[in-house]
Amino acid sequence: MPFLEIVTYPNPILRKVAQPVKEINDEVVRISKDMVERMRLARGAGLAANQCGINMRIIVLESNLKKDRDPLIVLNPVIVEKDREEVVEEEGCLSFPKYFEHIGRSRKVYVKGIDLDGKELSIECEDHLARAFQHEVDHLNGVLFIDYLSPVKRTLFKKRYVTPKSIK
Ligand code: NI
């Protein structure tokens, strides 16, 4: 079982800007691999370290929806370029159990970061993976998907959203 647990909204850690990873040590490797396990158990498409109460710029993502490819682990990810073309699709977040909303995101992004071996990554991706990158990098900056809701939908969210006690 993974040792990390997912914190849920409105836990204030979700609003903190996560700190860059300075050194890839055993702790960083252990946390990253545990995040993958936790993401898969929770059936998520991505997870950011601050969603597990860890103040580090680490994200993990499923590289495809079938989960038959290795997941991506990206340290200090930066979205270098975003396509102007936006796609509106339903999106969820492991920190908002059972809550889904339609959110507009760039269809294509170009991301840079580092992998667990310290190798520089350059990833160009689109559709589901591009959406996941935007969502997870937002997390590292304390930004949540509900921040994109219109005032009307935001009010509905506040009415509908039930804060869970804990999530396993
Ligand atoms: Ni999320």
Side-chain angles (χ1 to χ4, degrees):
M1 277 295 283
F3 62 92
L4 293 170
E5 298 214 342
I6 298 170
V7 303
T8 51
Y9 181 83
N11 189 312
I13 188 147
L14 294 171
R15 287 299 186 187
K16 278 199 185 143
V17 178
Q19 295 300 302
V21 175
K22 290 197 180 112
E23 185 200 347
I24 304 167
N25 52 28
D26 289 351
E27 192 199 6
V28 168
V29 172
R30 202 167 58 106
I31 287 169
S32 304
K33 293 191 169 164
D34 202 78
M35 281 170 61
V36 169
E37 215 184 312
R38 175 51 75 201
M39 168 181 75
R40 291 198 149 169
L41 271 175
R43 295 196 183 93
L47 187 63
N50 47 351
Q51 285 183 277
C52 303
I54 307 275
N55 186 18
M56 291 182 184
R57 299 187 82 83
I58 304 173
I59 59 172
V60 299
L61 308 105
E62 290 294 352
S63 46
N64 71 347
L65 284 174
K66 286 186 198 152
K67 305 188 182 184
D68 57 359
R69 266 183 249 153
D70 284 343
L72 284 164
I73 297 172
V74 188
L75 315 178
N76 302 336
V78 178
I79 295 180
V80 184
E81 256 181 76
K82 275 185 190 185
D83 208 84
R84 276 221 196 128
E85 187 193 343
E86 268 203 357
V87 184
V88 177
E89 253 180 45
E90 195 175 67
E91 203 171 298
C93 177
L94 293 177
S95 294
F96 293 76
K98 294 177 186 149
Y99 187 79
F100 300 90
E101 263 304 346
H102 283 82
I103 307 285
R105 300 271 189 192
S106 294
R107 199 184 71 79
K108 209 167 154 185
V109 293
Y110 175 46
V111 188
K112 280 193 169 185
I114 313 166
D115 71 9
L116 279 185
D117 299 318
K119 226 173 52 194
E120 227 186 84
L121 297 171
S122 285
I123 303 164
E124 209 182 306
C125 57
E126 44 193 49
D127 302 324
H128 135 262
L129 190 54
R131 174 171 295 274
F133 262 113
Q134 291 167 81
H135 180 110
E136 301 312 330
V137 172
D138 269 357
H139 269 302
L140 299 181
N141 294 324
V143 176
L144 300 170
F145 76 139
I146 52 162
D147 299 347
Y148 298 101
L149 298 179
S150 66
V152 174
K153 283 198 166 176
R154 189 76 188 240
T155 308
L156 280 174
F157 161 76
K158 284 178 186 158
K159 277 188 194 160
R160 281 190 206 146
Y161 182 73
V162 182
T163 306
K165 284 203 179 81
S166 70
I167 175 173
K168 294 275 172 187

